[in-house]
Amino acid sequence: MSSESRASGRAEPPPAPARPPLRSLLFVPGTRTDRLPKARAAGADAVILDLEDAVPHDGKASARDQVAEAVARAAEDPGGPRLFVRVNPLDGWAAAEELRAVARPGLSGIVLPKVDGAHDVRNADRLLGWCERERGLPPGTIALVPLLETARGLRDAHDCAAAADRVAYLGAITGEGGDVERAVGYRWSPRGTETHALRSRVLLDVRAAGAPHPVAGLWTRIGDLEALRSFAEQNRSLGYTGMMAIHPSHVPVINDVFSPHPDELARAARLMAALEEAQARGAGAATFEGAMVDEAMAATARLLLERHGCAARGGPERLRAPQEHGEALEPPATAAR
């Protein structure tokens, strides 16, 4: 129980449900729910139906109704991509009613724009809790994705991520010419050097707060798939687990970058087998393909295999390696990693 809960005498809320990593989250205008089959065919892990920037003011009511119907249909067809909705900023009764209309069975998450701090996240969390009770959903069913689009929101990334257990997919979204570029004042370039430090710091804040699946984005140049791949690989190398996308053609590239290569899975399985053999002989470390490995490296390999459907002890049999890959070593003093 948290110190706040102890002080108030309130019971700790139940933990949020486990949420899977999402490689690709594809935006679709809320006025074009007919494009959902195309998004599904593209292979997107999730679709974000957009009720904010993609919808003109006089079309928002109609779009809200379309999106609510699409969410209801998704509840009857769980085999498709996970469905998220980007609502308008929760700054009044109309926005709260919009949230209430779409927060129903079939919805995986709410994308909250223009987040300026943890207070915005807590407010959305409270409203979603009411919606879940009204719809008979377990607490925490609906994930929350705060979009950090102001300088203050970006600076408070840790507090925003820690403000509610339902925050799982949060990161720095640095699309060309967007809200973040205007708020921070950098000059966007395809190489991303001007946002590298920002994306890194936000990622560290989000990880430290315990949000499990940070996502980055956006890439707005539709036809430049080679540069998209480079940007996605940069985000993957930093530690992001997925990206938001604005066009179906981007989804296969993003999915490929954020999926482990079979060789990577095979190496993880070999590493675990090598260390297990060494540990069976009483050693705490082993040489593996020219490098020293110990339990820290095995834990990383185990997590990779578990996330991608392989067995906890070395993955599927076809990935297991012969024992000659590992040689026992006396355990050295392990450096901090």
Side-chain angles (χ1 to χ4, degrees), residues 6 14 26 45 48 71 77 91 102 111 118 121 129 168 193 202 273-274 301 330:
R6 286 194 298 269
L26 176 63
D45 288 345
I48 302 172
V71 173
D77 180 22
D91 54 5
V102 301
V111 178
V121 178
T193 52
V202 169
E330 290 302 316

Side-chain angles (χ1 to χ4, degrees), residues 134-155:
E134 182 180 44
R135 297 288 186 178
L137 295 170
T141 295
I142 300 172
L144 182 61
V145 185
L147 294 184
L148 307 178
E149 298 174 294
T150 69
R152 179 175 295 181
L154 288 160
R155 188 194 182 285

Side-chain angles (χ1 to χ4, degrees), residues 172-299:
I173 311 299
T174 55
E176 180 179 8
D179 293 310
V180 175
E181 180 175 346
R182 185 175 66 256
V184 178
Y186 57 77
R187 291 182 176 178
W188 185 91
S189 72
R191 291 177 297 176
T193 52
E194 68 289 337
T195 62
H196 190 278
L198 174 64
R199 286 177 282 136
S200 299
R201 188 190 62 75
V202 169
L203 176 73
L204 180 59
D205 285 345
V206 169
R207 289 288 193 187
H213 308 303
V215 296
L218 290 159
W219 186 259
T220 59
R221 300 190 174 187
I222 294 173
D224 196 347
L225 299 184
E226 183 178 346
L228 164 65
R229 179 175 292 275
S230 178
F231 183 61
E233 288 175 345
Q234 191 181 103
N235 286 317
R236 176 65 190 91
S237 294
L238 289 175
Y240 285 96
T241 61
M243 272 183 58
M244 294 184 179
I246 52 92
H247 195 269
S249 67
H250 292 181
V251 170
V253 175
I254 291 172
N255 283 351
D256 183 55
V257 169
F258 287 97
S259 298
H261 192 276
D263 290 347
E264 187 180 359
L265 294 174
R267 183 183 184 279
R270 293 197 306 271
L271 187 155
M272 289 185 62
L275 186 60
E276 287 170 0
E277 182 199 3
Q279 290 172 339
R281 298 200 303 270
T287 55
F288 170 72
E289 299 181 0
M292 187 280 291
V293 297
D294 59 17
E295 183 54 38
M297 291 80 167

Side-chain angles (χ1 to χ4, degrees), residues 17-149:
R19 307 192 197 278
L22 299 173
R23 300 165 300 173
S24 52
L25 299 90
L26 176 63
F27 277 99
V28 171
T31 54
R32 296 304 307 270
T33 57
D34 59 306
R35 292 181 180 175
L36 282 172
K38 187 174 183 180
R40 183 172 186 169
D45 288 345
V47 172
I48 302 172
L49 291 172
D50 190 6
L51 290 173
E52 195 212 11
D53 287 345
V55 180
H57 181 74
D58 59 0
K60 289 189 181 291
S62 174
R64 180 193 67 189
D65 294 341
Q66 286 188 50
V67 168
E69 290 176 8
V71 173
R73 289 195 299 271
E76 301 171 358
D77 180 22
R82 291 176 178 267
L83 205 57
F84 288 68
V85 174
R86 178 161 73 169
V87 296
N88 288 278
L90 296 176
D91 54 5
W93 287 113
E97 282 299 318
E98 178 180 84
L99 182 68
R100 185 184 181 198
V102 301
R104 58 174 63 202
L107 183 70
S108 290
I110 286 291
V111 178
L112 184 66
K114 309 296 190 292
V115 169
D116 207 33
H119 58 283
D120 289 335
V121 178
R122 287 192 291 268
N123 180 50
D125 178 50
R126 194 160 46 242
L127 292 173
L128 281 172
W130 292 340
C131 293
E132 287 166 341
R133 286 193 293 274
E134 182 180 44
R135 297 288 186 178
L137 295 170
T141 295
I142 300 172
L144 182 61
V145 185
L147 294 184
L148 307 178
E149 298 174 294

